[in-house]
């Protein structure tokens, strides 16, 4: 490197630090920048993206309903209800997720799933879906449920609450022990997350889940080794994210975000996000 090289490199780092300070000063954070990019991309695809004609059904993935701390994955209760009503009005039939996973379903089949077991699934989602007689699935992070009542966290459902939902008809699946990125886990860590979550759910609920939803959900968050280990742990169905980018052997879901108004939600049902991933 020439004598000027270190000075140029340091100047570049100084410029970057200055830009970051300026961004923070005007209220631009990494999270806000990511959210702005997400809403821009989803609107653009909803309006002008390519419609995908599907031979089968579509599985929707929600997280929280009216919990702003969940950021881009939080959908307001009113918007959630409007989305369900819009789908019913359009002639969609809601079926259990495993029907679509195992048979493919029909082009007018939809399934509803929730990740993480947020409190609002019990207080908001379940009453709406129960009143309409619609089936749905819940993917539980077992370690988060274990922490309820210990003073460490009360943001998620307790085992008693999960059991009540299961008794009422919700299908229960695993979402790991600690919600890690399986794309970077060592094989022994991945095996522990998969087996221990299934064992804990079985012990707590008397249900041995055969479905697993990949934490973070994208192609980079799963590996062939993790897929093999999931099968060895007893899982038959692995849920991922986008239709066209998901890892081999997984079942696609379509993530619903806080930005999905009527226009964006129609775009989602038409497959305009089937090649789009949430954080890439």
């Amino acid at each position: 490197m020439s004598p000027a090289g270190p000075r140029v490199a340091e100047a570049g780092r100084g410029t970057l630090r200055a830009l970051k300070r300026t961004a923070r000063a005007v209220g631009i954070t990494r999270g806000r920048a990511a959210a702005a990019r997400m809403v821009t991309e989803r609107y653009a695809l909803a309006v002008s993206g390519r419609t995908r004609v599907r031979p089968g059904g579509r599985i929707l993935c929600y997280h929280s309903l009216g919990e702003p701390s969940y950021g881009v994955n939080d959908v307001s209760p009113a918007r959630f209800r409007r989305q369900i009503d819009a789908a019913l009005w359009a002639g969609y039939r809601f079926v259990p997720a495993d029907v679509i996973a195992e048979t493919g379903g029909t082009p007018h089949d939809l399934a509803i799933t929730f990740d993480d077991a947020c409190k609002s699934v019990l207080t908001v989602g379940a009453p709406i879906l129960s009143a309409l007689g619609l089936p749905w699935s819940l993917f539980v992070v077992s370690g988060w449920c274990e922490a309820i009542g210990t003073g460490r966290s009360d943001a998620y459902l307790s085992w008693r609450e999960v059991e009540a939902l299961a008794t009422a008809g919700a299908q229960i699946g695993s979402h790991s022990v600690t919600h890690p990125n399986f794309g970077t886990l060592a094989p022994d860590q991945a095996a522990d997350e998969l087996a221990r979550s299934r064992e804990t759910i079985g012990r707590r609920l008397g249900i041995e889940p055969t479905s697993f939803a990949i934490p973070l959900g994208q192609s980079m968050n799963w590996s062939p080794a993790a897929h093999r280990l999931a099968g060895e742990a007893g899982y038959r169905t692995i849920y991922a994210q986008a239709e066209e980018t998901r890892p081999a052997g997984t079942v696609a879901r379509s993530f619903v975000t806080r930005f999905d108004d009527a226009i964006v939600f129609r775009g989602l049902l038409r497959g305009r996000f089937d090649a789009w991933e949430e954080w890439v």
Side-chain angles (χ1 to χ4, degrees):
M1 181 180 292
S2 69
R7 292 195 298 272
V8 173
E10 179 57 32
R13 287 191 291 270
T15 300
L16 181 58
R17 288 193 293 268
L19 288 172
K20 288 181 178 179
R21 286 195 298 270
T22 302
R24 287 194 294 270
V26 298
I28 300 174
T29 64
R30 178 175 296 181
R32 288 180 179 176
R37 190 198 70 181
M38 179 185 292
V39 66
T40 300
E41 290 180 356
R42 285 182 80 82
Y43 266 98
L45 288 170
V47 172
S48 60
R50 180 168 65 89
T51 297
R52 269 76 168 177
V53 178
R54 291 175 59 84
R58 182 177 299 278
I59 302 172
L60 306 179
C61 177
Y62 290 89
H63 288 78
S64 64
L65 301 172
E67 298 183 55
S69 63
Y70 241 73
V72 297
N73 286 330
D74 181 61
V75 177
S76 75
R79 177 162 287 178
F80 175 70
R81 179 58 192 258
R82 286 196 297 269
Q83 290 170 348
I84 302 303
D85 288 343
L88 290 169
W89 181 262
Y92 285 94
R93 178 184 69 150
F94 285 90
V95 300
D98 59 6
V99 169
I100 295 176
E102 294 170 9
T103 71
T106 74
H108 272 78
D109 284 347
L110 285 178
I112 297 173
T113 65
F114 290 93
D115 283 1
D116 298 353
C118 299
K119 285 286 188 182
S120 55
V121 175
L122 173 68
T123 59
V124 178
I128 291 173
L129 298 173
S130 177
L132 294 170
L134 304 183
W136 57 283
S137 300
L138 176 67
F139 292 95
V140 174
V141 181
S142 62
W144 295 355
C145 291
E146 290 285 283
I148 300 301
T150 65
R152 287 181 290 170
S153 173
D154 290 318
Y156 302 97
L157 299 176
S158 68
W159 285 117
R160 180 171 295 182
E161 290 168 330
V162 175
E163 183 177 30
L165 291 174
T167 300
Q171 294 186 338
I172 307 299
S174 170
H175 201 35
S176 78
V177 179
T178 65
H179 204 280
N181 179 358
F182 277 80
T184 61
L185 282 188
D188 60 330
Q189 294 174 307
D192 178 68
E193 287 276 346
L194 292 159
R196 188 153 53 97
S197 177
R198 188 167 189 261
E199 183 276 329
T200 301
I201 293 171
R203 175 167 48 83
R204 289 289 192 173
L205 305 179
I207 300 168
E208 291 191 342
T210 58
S211 60
F212 182 83
I214 301 170
L216 309 176
Q218 300 178 95
S219 55
M220 63 183 177
N221 306 128
W222 198 239
S223 67
H227 199 78
R228 174 179 57 80
L229 291 166
E232 293 175 0
Y235 298 105
R236 295 199 309 266
T237 306
I238 309 298
Y239 292 98
Q241 189 164 319
E243 180 72 36
E244 297 178 18
T245 62
R246 60 190 167 86
T250 62
V251 177
R253 293 189 296 169
S254 297
F255 279 49
V256 186
T257 80
R258 67 179 300 177
F259 307 117
D260 296 1
D261 62 9
I263 293 172
V264 177
F265 191 68
R266 282 197 300 271
L268 183 153
L269 296 181
R270 293 170 181 169
R272 293 184 176 178
F273 307 123
D274 282 359
W276 179 88
E277 289 190 286
E278 187 174 358
W279 299 110
V280 175

